[in-house]
Structure formats: structure tokens, C-alpha cells
Amino acid sequence: MMSVRSWVAWPGAPLAIGSATLFGASTPLAKALLGGGVSAWLLAGLLYLGSGIGLAIVTLGRRAIGRPTSEAPLARRDWGWMVLVILSGGVAGPLLLMIGLAITPASSAALLLNLEGLATMAIAWTVFRENVDRRLMLGALAILAGAIILSWQGGSGAGAGFSGLGLGALAIAGACLAWGIDNNLTRKVSGSDPVQIAMVKGLAAGAVNLTLALLLGARLPELSLTLAAGVVGFLGYGVSLVLFVLALRFLGTARTGAYFSTAPFIGALLALLLFSEAVTVQLVAAAMLMGIGLWLHLFERHEHDHVHQPMEHTHAHFHDAHHRHPHGPGNPTGEPHVHRHAHARLIHTHPHYPDLHHRHGHK
């Protein structure tokens, strides 16, 4: 019988689903905060700041008790990618979304937001050349179809289907494209400390969005709502992003994005509990489609002869099949540990995903 650790999707799939769970749960909680009178743009700033400040407290707390992280800090070469990540996912995405929400029916906006998963996978497959086969494609389409069904509202009227679309739809589609770019660029720095990545992004994006909201006339809500937004942001944006970055290491961007597309379903389930909403045919259909998609992804088996070209990099690692390098004086001994290490050219066969060590091309 297959052990958990021999399962090729371990631990990437649980990390990605955990990330989707936290982010999906933040949606109905954010809706409740909006009902308390917080403007959408101001809330975006508070959520991002909550994630950044919360993770900064975690980092300082670990140092205070003498348990610093075993992760590699962001290197100088990573900061260019981080600037692009912040600009695309932390500034452009929320800005375009706020423009779109102002002139687009809510139901249509919810449907269009599913384009993020599609953009993430399309960029990963076409630009970064992650491998894709029929099983993976069908699984991704099933998950996305479930998300679309979940957010679709038929009938007639101003809020139905794709009615009332135009500039607002283009703005929301642009936001999804920005987040798809963000997800793919984050892969470039996924070998570094995920807490530091999420903290920097949260602080920078939060400061920008909060400043813009205040300049446009928004006012901070009462302290209890501000603190509540901070907690939701810490869990739904901060911890969720940490798990997302960790999943990228093991799964690559397309597969992580596919798992993350289950977030709307998770948010809908929580809404059933928080707002006593009814179980609908849409919810059941979405659950079935997403279940099929997850099954196709969870038990995918990608195996072939592949070549590891020589390279040097730094990240937290165990001495596994890809890390059999010697240690010189001054190198750490416990595992996992961090130091710059070299990989020699290696040719072998085993099940794998496009993780940190398997970003080779496919014919």
C-alpha cells in the first residue's frame, strides 16, 4: 500500500488545498466586514496589512524565543521578482478589481473572478512551459467548471449571467490576469522563506492600497472592525500565501493554481454555516465537478527519464535523492537546513511534478 510520503502529490496537494481553504473562508468573512460599513478598497488595504503585520509578529516572536526559521532569506536576485509580484498581485490586481466592481453587477463579477485560475494555468503552460497532459487538463477544466457553476446566476435582469459587461468586465479580467502573472512570478522566489515573501507582499500592498483608499476619502472603521479585518487578512491572505508558496515548490504553478481554484466552493460552504444559506443544485453540481477534478489531479502520475542539469541554488532541504552533496566545515548538520549547494548532472526516472528540481522541458 502506498505510504503518505511516497504519494507524489505529498505534501504539495495538502498545502495547496489548505491555502485555498483559508482564502476561500476569508471571502464570506470579508463580506460580513463590508456589511459593517468598510469600503471595499479600504478593506483590501486592511486585509493585506493584517497579513503583513501578523507575519512580522510571527517572525519577531520566533527570533525572541530563539527559534529562527530554517528557510533561506530572499536573496538580492529575488528582489526584482518581488517588486513585480507586489506590483502585479498587490497593486494592479486590487486596483483593477475595485474599478470593475464599481460598474459591474456582483454576480457577473463573481463569475469573472474565476478567470484567475485559468490565467494562472494558461501562463504556466504557455510561457513557463510546465508539462500538461489530457488528465491534468480535464481535471483543471472540471475544477474551473465547478467554480463557474457555483458563481453563475441565470435568469434575467441587471444581475444575471454576463449582463451589463463592458469596461467593468475588462477591468476584472485584467485583475485576474495580474493575479495570474503574480502567481507565476511567485514561483521564481518560492525557494526562499515563504513567511518573508508573504510578509513583504502584505506590508507593501497593504500600505499602497490603504493610502489610495484614504486619499480617495475613505475613513478607518472602528477599532473592532479594523482588528477583525487584520485577523482575517493574517489567516486568509498571509498564512494562505505561505502555504501557496510552499505548494509551488512541490507542484509548480499550474497544479497549485488548479487546487487553489477550489476556494470559491470552500467559501460557499462556510457561507452556509455563517449566513444559513440554502444548499442549492449549483452547490451540489460544483461539488461533484470539483471532486472529479481533484481526484484526477491527486492521483496523477508523471514519470519519465529526465535530465537534471548542473546548477547551484539555496533553499531549505533534506538529504534526499536530489541532495547528496558533501558538507564542508561550517555547513549545518541538522535537517532541514539551508546553505548554497551544487547539483551535478543527473539522469534518472521517478514520479515527479514541476517542483524546484524538475523544471525541465518536455517534447
Side-chain angles (χ1 to χ4, degrees):
M1 184 176 178
M2 179 182 65
S3 68
V4 171
R5 291 193 176 276
S6 66
W7 176 37
V8 70
W10 176 268
L15 288 167
I17 294 172
S19 174
T21 299
L22 288 173
F23 183 76
S26 73
T27 302
L29 295 175
K31 178 181 177 181
L33 291 171
L34 286 172
V38 184
S39 72
W41 205 335
L42 183 68
L43 179 59
L46 292 175
L47 290 171
Y48 275 116
L49 272 182
S51 70
I53 294 172
L55 292 172
I57 292 172
V58 170
T59 301
L60 293 174
R62 288 179 63 90
R63 291 177 182 174
I65 62 176
R67 296 186 61 184
T69 180
S70 59
E71 294 284 349
L74 286 165
R76 180 179 298 178
R77 65 182 178 277
D78 295 329
W79 285 101
W81 294 116
M82 281 300 301
V83 170
L84 293 176
V85 164
I86 292 167
L87 290 176
S88 59
V91 178
L95 175 60
L96 289 169
L97 178 62
M98 293 305 111
I99 293 173
L101 287 177
I103 53 178
T104 304
S107 58
S108 299
L111 182 61
L112 287 164
L113 284 173
N114 293 307
L115 291 174
E116 179 186 349
L118 185 60
T120 297
M121 288 181 276
I123 294 170
W125 290 332
T126 60
V127 178
F128 294 97
R129 300 296 182 184
E130 286 192 10
N131 67 290
V132 56
D133 56 25
R134 184 179 299 175
R135 179 190 181 98
L136 184 65
M137 180 71 76
L138 288 174
L141 290 176
I143 293 171
L144 286 172
I148 290 171
I149 288 174
L150 190 65
S151 54
W152 178 267
Q153 291 190 12
S156 59
F162 284 106
S163 63
L165 301 189
L167 181 61
L170 290 176
I172 294 174
C176 292
L177 177 61
W179 285 321
I181 294 171
D182 168 22
N183 293 335
N184 279 274
L185 294 181
T186 300
R187 183 191 181 193
K188 292 287 188 179
V189 297
S190 61
S192 299
D193 183 1
V195 173
Q196 185 184 16
I197 292 169
M199 178 184 70
V200 169
K201 182 179 180 181
L203 291 174
V208 170
N209 283 289
L210 186 64
T211 300
L212 290 174
L214 293 175
L215 288 175
L216 291 174
R219 294 290 181 267
L220 287 174
E222 59 186 60
L223 181 60
S224 60
L225 287 177
T226 302
L227 292 176
V231 172
V232 172
F234 170 64
L235 296 173
Y237 284 52
V239 179
S240 175
L241 180 55
V242 170
L243 296 178
F244 188 90
V245 173
L246 290 172
L248 287 174
R249 294 181 181 178
F250 298 100
L251 300 176
T253 313
R255 290 163 177 81
T256 303
Y259 286 123
F260 194 77
S261 295
T262 61
F265 175 72
I266 295 166
L269 287 180
L270 184 60
L272 293 177
L273 301 176
L274 290 180
F275 305 114
S276 300
E277 296 182 1
V279 177
T280 64
V281 174
Q282 288 171 287
L283 187 63
V284 174
M288 293 177 63
L289 284 167
M290 289 186 172
I292 293 171
L294 287 174
W295 179 79
L296 289 170
H297 277 248
L298 288 171
F299 297 101
E300 173 200 6
R301 189 174 180 87
H302 179 75
E303 183 174 2
H304 59 89
D305 284 337
H306 55 276
V307 180
H308 294 267
Q309 299 295 345
M311 70 172 180
E312 291 189 18
H313 61 176
T314 305
H315 65 93
H317 62 276
F318 293 88
H319 279 190
D320 54 20
H322 297 95
H323 298 90
R324 292 177 176 170
H325 47 262
H327 275 196
N331 282 140
T333 55
E335 295 185 17
H337 57 241
V338 175
H339 62 89
R340 190 162 186 82
H341 54 278
H343 292 271
R345 190 173 187 271
L346 174 66
I347 303 176
H348 64 174
T349 302
H350 64 92
H352 61 277
Y353 282 155
D355 56 28
L356 283 176
H357 301 96
H358 297 91
R359 294 180 177 175
H360 49 261
H362 291 79
K363 293 182 180 180

